[in-house]
Amino acid sequence: MDYLRSFRNYLALLAVLLVASCSSGYQLAKSNRAEYAINKDVAVDSSVVKTYLPYKKQLDAEMNQVLGYSDVLMVKSNDLPETILGNFFSDAALQQALKIDPTIDFAMPSTKGGIRVDVPKGDIKLSNIFELMPFENELIAFTLKGTDVQQLLNFIAATSGQPVAGLRMKIVDRKPVDVFINGKAFDPNKTYRVLTSDYIAGGGDNALGFKDPIEKKVLDLKVRQALINYVKENQAAGKTINPKLDGRITKD
Amino acid sequence: MEELQKINRRDFIKTGGIAAAATALSLSSLNGFAAGDVLKLTILHTNDVHSRIEPFPMDGSKNQGLGGTARRSALIKQIRAKESNVLLLDAGDIFQGTPYFNKFGGELEIKLMSAMGYDAATMGNHDFDNGLAGFNKQLPHANFPILCSNYDFSNTLLKGATKPYQIFKKAGLKIGVFGIGIELKGLVEGKNYGDTVFIDPIAKANEMADLLKQDLKCDLVICLSHLGYKYASNKVSDQVLAKNNKNIDLIIGGHTHTFMDQPEDVQNLSGRITTINQVGFAGINLGRIDYYFERYKGKRIKTASPYIISNELDS
């Protein structure tokens, strides 16, 4: 079985004291473990393909639609404080939300964990956006007290950075410093207009700051739809998607 | 009292492999196998398949070309053709991740699992993504039980739709399998889990495992867990559960999408081994654990008996 990914020359011998009262007729003597990689070397069960083909045809007709073009492969990361994929995601959400509500100061439309897959270089299909953002979450604009924004900033710093737009900060000792919102230094005595999703606002991924808002405005725009619109509009304007790192979040 | 001995790669080569090591310990299992006193059980497992019906598209992204239900099914059929006692299990997050879920609500995922002959699955947090009604709607397509022991669905429409555990009988062996889920608050939107009550996973897992091993006399106890492999914080995880139980032999984990280099063997509260395994996500890999059981010669065995663990299948 040449597709067995890795035979590991590892052997652990474990002497185990059996429980004397065990009345079972069998005792565990040995266990062997392996892992199979499911790749092109594995044969295909045509009956499964036959089962999913009608679904696939229906799906492909819609999902293979090309929305735009990316100049770069955008890679998902749960570790880096800033990624081009995170910047693309949050810039797109903020830009689209600003068309509905121009008073928004900054955005955290998703957590890193909510950004699900890479976006390939080349054609961006509708399926890519569905896999990037499979959830049905909606964009919401909040008015938050500075102290609540501080909680959100603390969350972003404590989790080593999140996808943001309109916000710059450094993370030092897991704390936010040199925070700039919409180009101005953060002032905890001011109120801010913050864009996020209903998932995050509801405490999803344990994000903080949205429990006690001054105001809440549902934009009637799904996060996914904002991404779709952004890519389509760039394409219509003859522009490709080419996000850059700009140091909006750095970590010591 | 108990000894935990690990032979590293160098020693392994020095002693000449499993056969030599087994001989050195006078293990009788290989002889027993010939005499019909040894039973072999093959566990196959997946986790966090996330609606990955087809392989990842060939578009230059990291996982391009990997996974796919058609290949998984062929591989499972191949293994079943060779092995008579197979259990096929999934540790949750069947749903969400490709447009198949957005468009068809998980119907195809469950249909294909039924076709592949899954024996049981537990629920992950994303299996709540279309709400309790969304999950319930797909259950008619499942010909396998959904095992959840620490979600109390009594006050929800899922009441009676899941089971805490199931016992499988294979050639005289009794295998107890139960499911443990992750805390939903902060992870799943409230409207999607409704009045589901979350029960402490460590306490419930121990209750289940003790029941299965001691009262119901199972030869092997398997926990399908969606707690996650491990965390930097002291948040409950498969590692925490492995250290704090008495009667779980194997935790098939999920949630953290962890590609483990090899299963982890943890000494549990009774001094025995709880093994943890998890195979990444999206059906990129299929996990396999073969267990060999030896028939008792007498009613009570007082001496310590070796339990050999190898990360290689017998040819």
Side-chain angles (χ1 to χ4, degrees):
Chain A
M1 289 195 277
D2 54 355
Y3 44 80
L4 258 179
R5 193 185 67 171
S6 48
F7 288 110
R8 305 171 193 98
N9 289 335
Y10 163 83
L11 177 72
L13 295 175
L14 303 155
V16 176
L17 187 74
L18 284 174
V19 174
S21 63
C22 184
S23 64
S24 162
Y26 290 92
Q27 71 179 67
L28 198 49
K30 185 168 78 165
S31 89
N32 294 347
R33 300 91 72 97
E35 193 171 282
Y36 300 89
I38 310 290
N39 57 30
K40 61 179 170 42
D41 299 330
V42 180
V44 164
D45 181 345
S46 58
S47 72
V48 166
V49 178
K50 203 175 156 191
T51 304
Y52 73 58
L53 210 55
Y55 296 83
K56 176 178 163 59
K57 278 183 179 162
Q58 207 183 320
L59 214 57
D60 284 352
E62 185 183 347
M63 292 293 158
N64 285 345
Q65 179 193 162
V66 176
L67 307 176
Y69 188 93
S70 175
D71 291 331
V72 286
L73 166 66
M74 296 184 257
V75 179
K76 171 188 164 67
S77 166
N78 284 339
D79 309 314
L80 297 171
E82 184 195 358
T83 63
I84 56 167
L85 181 57
N87 290 358
F88 158 71
F89 195 110
S90 42
D91 287 347
L94 179 57
Q95 194 238 41
Q96 291 297 312
L98 282 172
K99 294 206 278 185
I100 302 166
D101 182 343
T103 69
I104 296 167
D105 291 302
F106 74 98
M108 187 183 90
S110 174
T111 57
K112 289 181 280 195
I115 294 180
R116 302 298 281 184
V117 293
D118 299 353
V119 172
K121 182 184 172 179
D123 286 343
I124 300 177
K125 294 179 185 173
L126 185 56
S127 60
N128 295 122
I129 302 298
F130 263 86
E131 293 197 14
L132 174 67
M133 178 59 205
F135 313 116
E136 304 300 329
N137 299 113
E138 290 196 73
L139 288 169
I140 306 183
F142 285 86
T143 305
L144 297 184
K145 294 190 288 282
T147 48
D148 286 337
V149 171
Q150 183 69 58
Q151 280 198 58
L152 176 60
L153 299 172
N154 292 347
F155 166 80
I156 293 168
T159 52
S160 302
Q162 294 290 350
V164 297
L167 171 70
R168 296 182 69 85
M169 67 192 272
K170 292 176 186 162
I171 302 171
V172 178
D173 292 335
R174 300 172 66 80
K175 297 274 191 307
V177 296
D178 296 345
V179 179
F180 286 85
I181 291 174
N182 208 359
K184 297 189 189 100
F186 169 62
D187 179 353
N189 297 311
K190 284 179 65 178
T191 62
Y192 289 91
R193 296 281 292 155
V194 187
L195 178 73
T196 193
S197 74
D198 51 354
Y199 175 76
I200 291 171
D205 292 340
N206 301 305
L208 299 170
F210 297 98
K211 259 189 193 160
D212 189 22
I214 295 167
E215 196 218 325
K216 172 184 171 179
K217 183 172 161 189
V218 176
L219 300 186
D220 198 22
L221 177 65
K222 282 186 179 177
V223 180
R224 185 196 306 125
Q225 195 57 48
L227 300 174
I228 291 167
N229 294 351
Y230 179 82
V231 175
K232 274 185 167 175
E233 285 173 17
N234 272 280
Q235 180 80 348
K239 286 190 273 184
T240 55
I241 303 297
N242 192 4
K244 306 279 187 205
L245 296 179
D246 56 18
R248 62 186 72 179
I249 300 185
T250 58
K251 196 175 162 230
D252 60 349
Chain B
M1 289 207 316
E2 58 282 324
E3 231 183 294
L4 202 113
Q5 212 181 3
K6 199 173 177 178
I7 293 183
N8 65 26
R9 178 185 282 257
R10 198 180 307 135
D11 291 339
F12 175 82
I13 292 163
K14 249 193 246 170
T15 54
I18 299 167
T23 308
L25 280 167
S26 308
L27 185 82
S28 59
S29 64
L30 296 175
N31 302 335
F33 200 42
D37 286 339
V38 168
L39 292 177
K40 181 182 180 186
L41 172 72
T42 295
I43 310 291
L44 301 177
H45 61 98
T46 51
N47 57 276
D48 300 277
V49 177
H50 282 296
S51 304
R52 188 60 54 182
I53 306 292
E54 298 174 70
F56 281 92
M58 297 300 292
D59 59 10
S61 55
K62 189 171 142 199
N63 295 314
Q64 65 171 352
L66 301 181
T69 48
R71 292 164 177 166
R72 191 185 343 142
S73 176
L75 182 55
I76 289 163
K77 279 183 177 172
Q78 228 176 74
I79 295 166
R80 282 192 204 273
K82 287 181 193 158
E83 305 295 338
S84 32
N85 305 313
V86 176
L87 276 182
L88 175 60
L89 305 167
D90 184 87
D93 276 8
I94 296 163
F95 290 172
Q96 191 72 279
T98 71
Y100 280 102
F101 180 69
N102 302 90
K103 290 292 156 186
F104 308 115
E107 174 185 312
L108 185 56
E109 290 84 327
I110 300 288
K111 273 187 181 171
L112 289 175
M113 286 175 77
S114 294
M116 282 186 252
Y118 270 81
D119 291 287
T122 192
M123 284 178 83
N125 48 302
H126 285 297
D127 297 317
F128 292 84
D129 278 0
N130 277 355
L132 296 174
F135 187 77
N136 194 45
K137 193 181 166 192
Q138 306 310 336
L139 286 180
H141 302 295
N143 63 7
F144 54 91
I146 304 296
L147 306 179
C148 298
S149 70
N150 68 324
Y151 294 140
D152 180 354
F153 293 122
S154 304
N155 297 320
T156 76
L157 58 88
L158 279 188
K159 182 181 181 179
T162 66
K163 292 172 162 187
Y165 66 85
Q166 174 107 341
I167 294 175
F168 297 91
K169 291 181 181 170
K170 295 276 179 188
L173 290 171
K174 282 174 83 174
I175 303 105
V177 183
F178 69 99
I180 286 286
I182 191 166
E183 174 143 35
L184 299 172
K185 192 173 177 249
L187 201 57
V188 176
E189 290 166 75
K191 66 176 165 52
N192 285 342
Y193 63 89
D195 291 324
T196 304
V197 177
F198 173 75
I199 301 163
D200 176 70
I202 302 291
K204 182 52 90 172
N206 270 291
E207 184 190 318
M208 285 293 112
D210 295 352
L211 172 78
L212 290 166
K213 188 71 86 51
Q214 285 164 354
D215 301 341
L216 301 172
K217 312 295 181 198
C218 289
D219 299 295
L220 191 78
V221 171
I222 300 173
C223 173
L224 299 180
S225 158
H226 204 77
L227 295 176
Y229 173 47
K230 64 176 176 184
Y231 300 99
S233 63
N234 57 4
K235 181 176 168 178
V236 62
S237 65
D238 292 338
Q239 275 194 339
V240 173
L241 176 59
K243 281 178 199 144
N244 293 287
N245 84 89
K246 292 194 182 92
N247 284 309
I248 300 172
D249 296 294
L250 173 64
I251 298 172
I252 293 173
H255 188 60
T256 43
H257 296 193
T258 311
F259 288 92
M260 297 175 71
D261 289 335
Q262 57 195 35
E264 182 178 348
D265 302 298
V266 176
Q267 196 169 353
N268 63 31
L269 292 176
S270 58
R272 283 173 291 183
I273 294 302
T274 298
T275 298
I276 308 168
N277 201 19
Q278 188 179 150
V279 289
F281 77 111
I284 288 172
N285 295 314
L286 177 71
R288 173 171 178 173
I289 301 182
D290 289 347
Y291 282 108
Y292 294 81
F293 296 84
E294 207 171 13
R295 188 185 282 283
Y296 275 35
K297 298 298 180 195
K299 275 188 180 176
R300 291 160 68 90
I301 292 185
K302 287 174 185 169
T303 52
S305 176
Y307 159 23
I308 289 188
I309 294 178
S310 160
N311 288 320
E312 191 167 339
L313 299 181
D314 286 355
S315 52

